[in-house]
Amino acid sequence: MTPDAMQALGVRRLCKLAAQLQTPRARQARDWSRGCATGLQQPPLLAVEPGEQGTKSMNLFQAINDALRLSLETDPSAIIFGEDVAFGGVFRCTTGLREKFGADRVFNTPLSEQGICGMAVGYASSGCTAIAEIQFADYIYPAFDQLTNEAAKFRYRSGGQYDCGGLVVRAPCGAVGHGGHYHSQSPEAYFTHTPGLKVVMVRDPISAKGLLRSAVRCKDPVVFFEPKALYRTSIADVPVRDYEIPLGVGQIVRSGDDLTLVAWGNQVNVCLAVAEMAEQELQASCEVIDLMSLLPWDRDLVMNSVRKTGRAIVSHEAPRTSGFGAEIVASIQEHCFYSLEAPVARVTGWDTPFPLVHEAYYLPNKYRMFDSIKQVLGVHDDARKFVKSVLRDHVVAQL
Amino acid sequence: MLCGQAYDAHSLAAAAAMLATRFEWRSGLRAAGRWSGAKPPRRHWSTSSSTTTGPGGADAVPVSSAGSWEQEAEPKQFKYPGAQGSKFSAKFNVVQAKFRTPASTFRVLSEAGDLVGSAAAPASPEHAPSRHIALAGRETVSQMYKHMVQLRVMDEYLYSAQRQGRISFYMTSAGEEAAVIGTAAALKDTDPVFAQYREQGVLLWRGFTFQEFCMQCFGKGADKGRQMPVHYGSPELAFHTVSSPLATQLPQASGAAYALRLARKGSIKLPASTSGSNGSKKGRSAHSTAGPEDMIVTCFFGDGAASEGDFHAGLNFSATLGCPVLFVCRNNGFAISTPTKEQYRGDGVVMRGLGYGMDAVRVDGNDALAVEYTVREARKHIVEHQVPVLVELMTYRVGHHSTSDDSSQYREANEMQFYNERADPLRRLRAYMQRSGWWDDEQDTQYMQDQKRELLTAIKAAEKEPDTHPMTLFDDVYHELPPSLVEQRKELYNHLRSYPHVYKAAVHDMHV
Ligand SMILES: Cc1ncc(C[n+]2csc(CCOP(=O)(O)OP(=O)(O)O)c2C)c(N)n1
Ligand SMILES: [Mg+2]
């Protein structure tokens, strides 16, 4: 195949790579030297100093629990409430807190989400800290009015005389394998459409602890989403100390220069997996960004990355139409139009309610992302095979 | 704020007396016989002193008149529109929640299975009709018991199926069989039902087969595997598909009942499907046709769900609009881990009916006979007067909330044991049947075995059924597939073809 033909197949980028003779290992070494881990390994966090002493292995619910404990310890006005939180919560996030801090500060409420959020608004507006739990993000809608009309506008409508900062509403979100419509949703976009709220979704125990501590201290109401699939499965060495990860700041969790993948929550983990796959199979290097905060979001981080790579895919579990990905894609074309080498793609849940038995076909898993990466890179299967063989030959020749 | 000194003994007594008399006639709690029309109630239910025409022509909603506009100089009553009929009083009457004795719980079967109280009196002309309670007879009782057994067997087996990882989730009705089956037995099989999720007994009663239950739980049912197990639905049996978000079904039930109200007046015509397509599959022939003139909507919910805003909306709407709907609260003591004492401070759920101007009855939900009787009477009342009624069934959730729950984390084992031993609705009804000579141990063992065998067959058959095809994922979002979904469907199809080794389903035979 002539270079021309390869060009015609849209594999310009891979030809360039082949020419650079980079093996995956070489690339990995370079990434390490930049201080960024590759693959699924836990990347260093903003808040965790290298070689940090005093860490403890925690899963996500334990890290959340730790942040909640710190909040109650450091802020005497802080209270935690919601459905079934007294015995530890259906996901165990509040385990042991009632025993430690008493029933006045950690308690069950009657079963009413609008009641929970309304109460949280009122308590927070009295200058105190309210940490409310909605049992599943799917059940946050009865509280929609309290959050979007009340919490979000509390400061603005009074001209800044009143506010309900010190309000955090935590809610488990996302797919879990067997949740169906009402135990799997990712409703973040409903809230990112509401000026006045801050919106967070976490991807692992370390970021969760730091973000939750920030959210609790934040001067604005925060809707805080925790992917329930990660409560037990995501495990990391979490610093024992009290630390914060600032809201509004994203993080590059894997660096690369061929393509930018933007995600949040559990989808970041899918991006890390597909980045590895792209590395192995396409010799393509993906930069993975975890936005962490969706409102406000770290636009500069994304734009700088896309200016560097010229290509981007945004991915989320929620349906595509009017998903938060749409906002990011629009901003990319606004700010990076002249750097783009391909249309910005979205890999998302389909525009259907979340199904039960067909969850595997609904989710934007790494294979669907891989398809999209190939398309964005302009890689056709035949060409990919060809280039891979060229690369292999080169590597063999080098040995 | 009210402070302690404000209450002198006299005003307390007066308040208590006032409340006592009011609740007696208003709630009908004291004598279920009121509904049988034995003794004319002090205020007639169908002929109020005046009627108003509410929105949509809710002209039969009884509203008492507050007199004419020409008030006397010092009126005893006054036209504050919000509380018509309230008299002025110079006494400081605090309507105190604390001093109310809880509403009684209607029960006709003792723990040992004997008839108690007026129910025990033989149905003879010597007894005043108001003391006579026409309880369900042998046929209905046997049917109720058999269905309760079926329900328990189904729960046992599907619960284990979940534990074995064969299905993803399950919720049992353990301890609440009489509440649900008793209600189902008193309804017409064509009455539309809006359930919460622990009312599979209604479907069972109406003829939903073990096979159909199992298919849904295995993700292969008529819902095409869309919902979690136990989220059943059957238009054929007038059973609206269960939805997990709590209490949403209450205002919906009011809406459905309002449609019945209008249809009964002849101002609209309902499609035949409203009452299910074939009544009961069991062909209870009397029930196979239904018109709006003899139809009510029934809505189930739990003690926890009753705290949601939708509960209040549902009750208030049905009362103000005169919706023929029966609200049935299964008060089983828990909402997952939250005990009822953290759910409300009032006297259960039954008293809230009064707040909305709706008659309400509290029943021992583990007494199938009492439940059946109450619902039958309530149904009659609703049909006749086109008003809602609230029934609170007192029971106890003997099982875990669901297979995702471990109730030993929040309740004592001996508490569960207590209810299991003392209040088991199956044992109570069986004792009654055996005492009546309608049933014996041998029959019982045999029946139980037969049901178990049938259920195992159903589970195995469901397991063997093919999975729903993933391409059906895009169906039913809208009436017609919009272009965006046609496109996404194609995208998924192409994707599946490129990765046959990753996905379970074969797509080669799919036409997209
Ligand atoms: C709106 C909403 N909030 C929370 C939940 C989670 N949830 C499911 S069942 C349940 C408890 C319901 O208790 P109750 O109404 O008493 O019914 P029971 O389970 O006792 O039959 C809760 C909190 C839900 N399904 N929907
Ligand atoms: Mg309950």
Side-chain angles (χ1 to χ4, degrees), chain A residues 61-128:
Chain A
F61 83 68
Q62 289 162 336
I64 298 283
N65 183 267
D66 201 39
L68 293 174
R69 177 187 57 81
L70 284 166
S71 304
L72 290 171
E73 249 164 34
T74 54
D75 178 352
S77 83
I79 57 171
I80 295 177
F81 56 96
E83 292 156 17
D84 303 295
V85 302
F87 89 114
V90 296
F91 290 108
R92 313 313 299 144
C93 293
T94 52
T95 304
L97 298 178
R98 185 183 178 90
E99 290 72 14
K100 188 144 195 232
F101 298 97
D104 279 352
R105 298 185 66 195
V106 182
F107 53 92
N108 287 343
T109 63
L111 210 169
S112 165
E113 292 73 16
Q114 72 191 88
I116 291 167
C117 290
M119 166 132 182
V121 170
Y123 189 77
S125 74
S126 310
C128 306

Side-chain angles (χ1 to χ4, degrees), chain B residues 418-453:
Chain B
F418 170 84
Y419 286 97
N420 215 359
E421 280 166 13
R422 291 279 300 275
D424 180 17
L426 269 76
R427 214 192 29 247
R428 206 192 295 187
L429 195 60
R430 187 173 65 230
Y432 173 69
M433 288 167 70
Q434 294 197 345
R435 269 151 212 255
S436 309
W438 299 341
W439 195 248
D440 59 34
D441 285 344
E442 201 183 314
Q443 276 174 299
D444 203 63
T445 318
Q446 187 60 48
Y447 187 73
M448 184 89 77
Q449 272 171 10
D450 291 348
Q451 296 310 312
K452 286 183 177 172
R453 203 176 39 246

Side-chain angles (χ1 to χ4, degrees), chain A residues 82-87 90 92 98 107-114 135 138-139 142 178-183 277 320-321 346 349-358 360-363 365 367-371 374, chain B residues 168 218-219 224-229 231 243-246 304-305 307-310 335-339 342-343 405-406 409-410 468-470 472-474 477 484-485 488 491-492 495-496 498-499 501-505:
Chain A
E83 292 156 17
D84 303 295
V85 302
F87 89 114
V90 296
R92 313 313 299 144
R98 185 183 178 90
F107 53 92
N108 287 343
T109 63
L111 210 169
S112 165
E113 292 73 16
Q114 72 191 88
Q135 202 162 75
D138 313 63
Y139 303 135
H178 46 82
H181 312 325
Y182 300 121
H183 298 84
M277 205 168 153
R320 180 175 304 178
T321 300
R346 280 182 289 170
W350 307 117
D351 286 342
T352 72
F354 201 103
L356 180 82
V357 296
H358 297 138
Y361 302 90
Y362 174 87
L363 285 177
N365 61 15
Y367 299 101
R368 274 181 56 204
M369 292 204 70
F370 190 66
D371 262 355
K374 285 196 290 184
Chain B
S168 60
F218 279 91
K224 303 173 192 160
R226 297 255 168 76
Q227 289 215 86
M228 287 170 71
H231 291 59
S243 161
S244 318
L246 289 166
S307 293
E308 289 281 5
D310 272 350
I336 307 188
S337 77
T338 307
E342 291 175 20
Q343 199 64 250
D405 177 44
D406 170 14
Q409 300 202 17
Y410 53 81
T468 333
H469 200 281
T472 59
L473 162 57
F474 298 94
V477 182
S484 61
L485 282 186
Q488 292 185 14
E491 198 181 323
L492 175 60
H495 175 72
L496 296 185
S498 331
Y499 295 84
H501 56 289
V502 173
Y503 298 92
K504 241 169 77 186

Side-chain angles (χ1 to χ4, degrees), chain A residues 83-84 111 113 135-136 139 142 183, chain B residues 171 176 196-198 244-246 301-306 308 330 332 334-336 397 401:
Chain A
E83 292 156 17
D84 303 295
L111 210 169
E113 292 73 16
Q135 202 162 75
F136 285 86
Y139 303 135
H183 298 84
Chain B
M171 291 175 118
E176 301 177 47
Q196 181 157 310
Y197 46 61
R198 219 183 285 284
S244 318
L246 289 166
F301 58 96
D303 47 280
E308 289 281 5
R330 287 180 296 98
N332 61 10
F334 286 96
I336 307 188
R397 197 195 76 209
H401 168 71

Side-chain angles (χ1 to χ4, degrees), chain B residues 294-501:
Chain B
D294 185 18
M295 226 171 145
I296 68 163
V297 172
T298 299
C299 180
F300 289 93
F301 58 96
D303 47 280
S307 293
E308 289 281 5
D310 272 350
F311 163 87
H312 301 277
L315 263 67
N316 201 22
F317 274 53
S318 66
T320 51
L321 297 166
C323 305
V325 52
L326 174 68
F327 291 108
V328 180
C329 176
R330 287 180 296 98
N331 190 333
N332 61 10
F334 286 96
I336 307 188
S337 77
T338 307
T340 43
K341 68 172 190 295
E342 291 175 20
Q343 199 64 250
Y344 51 73
R345 278 298 141 86
D347 177 19
V349 173
V350 70
M351 280 303 153
R352 298 183 208 172
L354 304 187
Y356 292 107
M358 168 185 317
D359 290 320
V361 193
R362 172 177 284 160
V363 189
D364 181 346
N366 287 13
D367 174 350
L369 284 186
V371 173
E372 193 278 340
Y373 177 80
T374 304
V375 172
R376 187 153 35 95
E377 289 298 318
R379 190 182 184 286
K380 248 189 262 169
H381 185 75
I382 293 167
V383 167
E384 194 176 330
H385 300 281
Q386 296 289 289
V387 290
V389 169
L390 170 64
V391 170
E392 182 179 31
L393 306 175
M394 308 313 294
T395 179
Y396 185 85
R397 197 195 76 209
V398 170
H400 302 301
H401 168 71
S402 72
T403 48
S404 313
D405 177 44
D406 170 14
S407 63
S408 69
Q409 300 202 17
Y410 53 81
R411 63 177 175 183
E412 301 289 331
N414 57 12
E415 180 185 319
M416 275 160 81
Q417 218 176 329
F418 170 84
Y419 286 97
N420 215 359
E421 280 166 13
R422 291 279 300 275
D424 180 17
L426 269 76
R427 214 192 29 247
R428 206 192 295 187
L429 195 60
R430 187 173 65 230
Y432 173 69
M433 288 167 70
Q434 294 197 345
R435 269 151 212 255
S436 309
W438 299 341
W439 195 248
D440 59 34
D441 285 344
E442 201 183 314
Q443 276 174 299
D444 203 63
T445 318
Q446 187 60 48
Y447 187 73
M448 184 89 77
Q449 272 171 10
D450 291 348
Q451 296 310 312
K452 286 183 177 172
R453 203 176 39 246
E454 268 187 44
L455 191 76
L456 277 176
T457 314
I459 289 183
K460 283 187 195 135
E463 238 165 357
K464 281 205 201 98
E465 287 288 323
D467 289 333
T468 333
H469 200 281
M471 283 302 159
T472 59
L473 162 57
F474 298 94
D475 300 345
D476 309 313
V477 182
Y478 294 100
H479 179 57
E480 277 171 11
L481 212 61
S484 61
L485 282 186
V486 172
E487 212 177 279
Q488 292 185 14
R489 195 176 129 100
K490 186 132 200 157
E491 198 181 323
L492 175 60
Y493 176 76
N494 290 336
H495 175 72
L496 296 185
R497 283 181 62 115
S498 331
Y499 295 84
H501 56 289

